[in-house]
Amino acid sequence: MKNRGITTSKIKNNAPAIPVLVWVGFFAGVPLVFVLVISFLTRDSLGIIVLEFSTENYRRIFEPVYLKIFFNSFLLAGLTGVVTLVIGYPVAYITSKLKGRQRTLTIGLIMLPFWISSLLRTYGWRILLDYKGIINNILTGLGITNEPVTMLGTFAASLVGTAYMLIPFMIIAVFNSVDKLDRSLLEASYDLGAGKLKTFRNITLRLTLPGIAGGFTLVFIPALGLFFISDILGGGQTVYLGNKINELIGRGRNKPLAAAMSIAMVLFITLVIYIYTKVSKEEVGGLL
Amino acid sequence: MDRNLLEIDGVTKYYGDNHVLKNVSFDIRDGEFLTLLGPSGCGKTTLLRCIAGLEKIDSGDILLKNESIKALPANKRNVNTVFQNYALFPHLNVRDNIAYGPRVKKSMSRSELEAKIGEVLELVKMKGYESRMPQELSGGEKQRIAIARALINKPDTLLLDEPLGALDLKLRKYMQKELAHLQREAKTTFVYVTHDQEEALNMSDRIAVMDKGTILQIGSPSEIYNEPADLFVASFIGDRNISQVTVVEKNDDHVTIRLGSNVINVRCSNKAGCDFKSGDKAYLAVHMDKMRIACEQALDTLKGKVGSIHYAGSQIRIEIDVDGSDFTVIEYQKNECLCGEGDTVWLSWEEKGGVLLPLLPLPGGLSV
């Protein structure tokens, strides 16, 4: 009798989640199952998928060419996380100290780029970074450099573009956690004899760690797959996961390998999210 | 007790156009329990934050042990604060919270720190809680840890900002006793901020009553209670009947006043002075619980008519009308004359309970 009561209430409590689960299950789960199945199949010479079980695709991921692609992608995504954190944290911190209209306006400006197509914004960076572009004009015009600097087609250009595209996520994630920070804790730290730097390290940084981890995750994951930025700004010089998968599906006519790489990427992202939930839940332990 | 530990010298503070502290000057003696008492917005918390170094003062000076500390940042002042919400670091357990001060200042060796943590936890009766996290503690326990975290630094003075505000009534009463006891045990000067007169009267060696950024009176609890320096203090401390009266004549130690058809002798406050002339308007302030009701006329009594009688637990509140002035009398047992509504009675009070005060504009928010 008692057990049945609990079961019915459990169903009742979770009832609102059912439509969402069905939706996500159908539109995200089913395609993912397709990808998983295809990743274990092979293709014929025309690129048509053949129903023949094989683990060949997964073996190929471990070939140096593909390992390098994984490495490049993680390097780009990781550095994007670092760059957006270093630039985004102070922005978020200062924004959280603003009041009223200034605050609303600043948050609005941070979100504003989302109103413009990301492709368009990336082409905008081409104009800035071009060999005869604005930045080079300024550099040579001011005599800082004699020759224009090659910026397009470099790893740095991909990094700048990716970081630019994703920094709002970092700022908003850090902002949310800095904003929740109880200022009396900072005062308590000063009161107990800690200076500004120690207070920042021991209290502010430590208590905004969940925001930092969240921001890093929000930036890292899309950075792995943003293939068009490295195409437009990186000139396809370095191959990243996104580009490679995109290419394998299209010109490469190797959907099974693309599927295997996608599954590997999903697994890796799952790992990153797992680490994130660990970090953000962790409450115990000090930095002192 | 006589040595001045802290001197507040003409401290002025503005928040924008808001003049929060107006030329505040007073001394805090070494080893005393001093309470800053006043209604919300009177500047008491600001004054405490100025002493802590969390607010900069606009003019004046603050001297700790005869040395100016006004230019020192909070982390360089040897004073510690117990915050209203305790402000325990949520990511550190009890031990690390308490160890925070000595660690950031690198003021103790590891073994010394360990011993001191044990000592302060003993003092606040929280031994065995070392590895608890703040969110696992009750309000009263958090409070004790916040005090321990402050006291381990051996501050010259401990500043407490309404630390009992968040606790329920029963715990608050218990902690009042505990705090007063702790203050003597720790031999540390306490500067305590509250808006609760009962807390202030219960715990303090001295009370400084504040209103609108100034200190109106400093004195022992009994002084503040019985010898108010002005009408604000009289109306803020204790429940008093305050009525406007006319001075008939001033005698050596008494003043003869008229209230309606009654002419009686009353005393004036030592603190407020006795500067009355015949015909002056003045206020008569009498503690409600110091009043007595009699059925027969006697010397220096006020004739009145019983309005209504309310039974509130152990108290009986009797409303009496004296020629248009309302008096409330609080009795703790059945009164002698067993008066009923509409009866004519005569009111008197213990000498200490009533006082005559000069006419001053009543501060806003307080009604007579």
Side-chain angles (χ1 to χ4, degrees), chain B residues 9-293:
Chain B
D9 184 14
V11 165
T12 297
K13 170 82 189 165
Y14 287 89
Y15 285 136
D17 291 337
N18 198 358
H19 202 169
V20 216
L21 294 175
K22 297 169 188 162
N23 195 22
V24 173
S25 295
F26 69 105
D27 298 330
I28 296 166
R29 297 169 189 161
D30 196 8
E32 78 172 332
F33 193 129
L34 181 112
T35 298
L36 299 172
L37 174 66
S40 54
C42 73
K44 57 192 191 299
T45 295
T46 306
L47 181 56
L48 197 76
R49 290 170 59 83
C50 289
I51 299 173
L54 298 167
E55 301 283 352
K56 278 208 164 81
I57 57 175
D58 291 319
S59 68
D61 204 350
I62 299 174
L63 297 128
L64 181 65
K65 291 177 168 172
N66 295 321
E67 278 178 43
S68 173
I69 55 167
K70 73 170 172 183
L72 293 178
N75 55 323
K76 302 272 192 255
R77 298 187 187 191
N78 195 24
V79 296
N80 285 112
T81 308
V82 173
F83 291 85
Q84 193 167 12
N85 63 354
Y86 318 127
L88 295 178
F89 304 125
H91 59 297
L92 300 177
N93 65 18
V94 165
R95 176 189 285 107
D96 291 335
N97 258 289
I98 295 175
Y100 191 88
R103 279 185 188 160
V104 292
K105 286 185 290 194
K106 299 192 171 65
S107 59
M108 289 180 202
S109 69
R110 193 174 282 261
S111 57
E112 190 188 353
L113 178 61
E114 216 37 61
K116 284 280 179 214
I117 291 172
E119 226 170 82
V120 289
L121 279 174
E122 185 92 54
L123 190 69
V124 297
K125 296 184 187 146
M126 289 288 285
K127 271 218 118 136
Y129 283 71
E130 286 85 347
S131 44
R132 296 273 192 102
M133 297 306 289
Q135 50 274 27
E136 296 166 353
L137 302 175
S138 70
E141 290 167 346
K142 280 184 194 163
Q143 154 104 79
R144 287 153 193 261
I145 299 306
I147 292 171
R149 180 178 71 174
L151 284 179
I152 197 169
N153 302 292
K154 288 246 161 263
D156 289 325
T157 170
L158 187 67
L159 311 171
L160 301 103
D161 184 10
E162 306 220 18
L164 304 185
L167 306 179
D168 63 63
L169 185 67
K170 218 170 173 181
L171 191 56
R172 206 152 65 213
K173 297 243 180 206
Y174 176 71
M175 285 305 290
Q176 282 178 19
K177 271 193 234 159
E178 284 283 302
L179 273 176
H181 177 73
L182 192 70
Q183 190 261 339
R184 284 192 294 273
E185 193 115 312
K187 297 186 185 71
T188 304
T189 309
F190 276 30
V191 181
Y192 187 96
V193 160
T194 185
H195 63 265
D196 185 327
Q197 50 157 314
E198 194 204 312
E199 268 175 42
L201 294 167
N202 250 335
M203 295 190 285
S204 324
D205 294 318
R206 288 196 305 156
I207 297 171
V209 182
M210 286 186 76
D211 185 44
K212 298 200 176 89
T214 54
I215 290 190
L216 301 174
Q217 186 175 4
I218 291 195
S220 68
S222 74
E223 226 171 48
I224 299 280
Y225 194 75
N226 292 317
E227 305 286 340
D230 71 2
L231 190 62
F232 177 83
V233 180
S235 55
F236 191 70
I237 311 283
D239 286 327
R240 275 188 158 99
N241 291 301
I242 296 174
S243 334
Q244 210 183 90
V245 297
T246 312
V247 174
V248 177
E249 71 173 330
K250 198 199 140 202
N251 306 319
D252 290 341
D253 54 345
H254 282 87
V255 182
T256 311
I257 55 153
R258 178 196 303 280
L259 174 58
S261 59
N262 301 279
V263 176
I264 58 167
N265 288 319
V266 295
R267 71 179 185 108
C268 28
S269 162
N270 293 335
K271 291 287 164 189
C274 219
D275 189 19
F276 297 103
K277 294 189 307 290
S278 182
D280 278 356
K281 296 278 182 203
Y283 282 110
L284 174 66
V286 191
H287 283 300
M288 291 177 183
D289 57 350
K290 297 266 170 69
M291 296 193 92
R292 280 189 295 265
I293 300 172

